[in-house]
């Protein structure tokens, strides 16, 4: 019962944090013309601000909660750190609480890095950079975050898989008309959105590691 309580508290925290990221990041994509949510679609009629529907933070939050449920099994499958939570060799050398171990500060840095990467994508799109140019920069951002903050194979595999899923999922939403991507290049969406989905796994992974060691 105590374990289930901790799992629920951790899941709720993950939900809240990524919901805020969704509010900021996707809101910037609306403001910079990356995408828009047509108001004639019923689910988009109630908005948090002009052109930004109420359900986006819930989508981000639910995604993080599902990640919280399934990632531990993936980490155990790859036998990270002998069955314990993943930690890169680089971070292990310093240890928790020293230099850059898994503590509140380091987890905060990973989240800030992700928010800045999201904001950077909006900045590039607003400056009319090509989809290939944006994709190149976001891919570098994903691998840099993975190298600096995690380095586990579980996070890398999860990130790439979730990135691919994100492109498919966004295409499904766009195909139904719920969202419209401006300058789509892969089906109905921009392919670089997958790198933002992939990069979300890094702060989520690091936060789970921190919570498991409390």
């Amino acid at each position: 019962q105590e374990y289930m309580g901790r799992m629920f508290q951790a899941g709720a925290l993950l939900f809240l944090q990524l919901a805020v990221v969704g509010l900021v990041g996707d809101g910037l994509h609306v403001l910079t013309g990356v995408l828009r949510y047509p108001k004639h679609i019923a689910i988009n009629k109630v908005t948090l601000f002009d052109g930004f529907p109420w359900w986006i933070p819930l989508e981000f939050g639910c995604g993080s909660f599902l990640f919280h449920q399934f990632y531990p099994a993936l980490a155990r499958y790859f036998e990270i750190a002998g069955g314990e939570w993943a930690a890169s060799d680089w971070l292990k050398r310093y240890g928790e609480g020293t230099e850059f171990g898994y503590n509140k500060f380091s987890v905060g840095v990973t989240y800030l890095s992700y928010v800045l990467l999201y904001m950077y994508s909006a900045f590039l799109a607003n400056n009319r950079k090509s989809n290939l140019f944006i994709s190149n920069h976001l891919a570098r951002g994903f691998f840099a975050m993975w190298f600096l903050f995690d380095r586990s194979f579980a996070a890398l595999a999860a990130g790439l898989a979730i990135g691919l899923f994100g492109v498919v999922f966004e295409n499904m939403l766009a195909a139904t008309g719920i969202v419209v991507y401006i300058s789509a290049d892969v089906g109905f969406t921009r392919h670089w959105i997958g790198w933002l989905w992939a990069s979300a796994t890094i702060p989520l992974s690091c936060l789970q590691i921190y919570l498991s060691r409390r």
Side-chain angles (χ1 to χ4, degrees), residues 48-70:
L48 298 179
F49 57 85
D50 188 36
F52 189 79
W54 61 272
W55 55 270
I56 299 301
L58 292 180
E59 177 194 12
F60 277 76
C62 288
S64 67
F65 188 82
L66 290 175
F67 179 90
H68 170 64
Q69 302 303 314
F70 293 107

Side-chain angles (χ1 to χ4, degrees), residues 159-183:
L160 294 176
I162 289 174
L164 179 60
F165 172 79
V167 174
V168 174
F169 182 77
E170 295 289 344
N171 259 298
M172 291 172 59
L173 289 180
T176 62
I178 293 176
V179 57
V180 175
Y181 277 87
I182 314 302
S183 302

Side-chain angles (χ1 to χ4, degrees), residues 24-35:
V24 175
D26 217 48
L28 285 173
H29 279 178
V30 171
L31 294 175
T32 55
V34 173
L35 50 80

Side-chain angles (χ1 to χ4, degrees), residues 199-214:
S199 299
T201 62
I202 307 303
L204 290 175
S205 171
C206 291
L207 179 59
Q208 287 211 5
I209 296 166
Y210 166 71
L211 292 174
S212 72
R213 292 179 175 179
R214 292 181 61 185

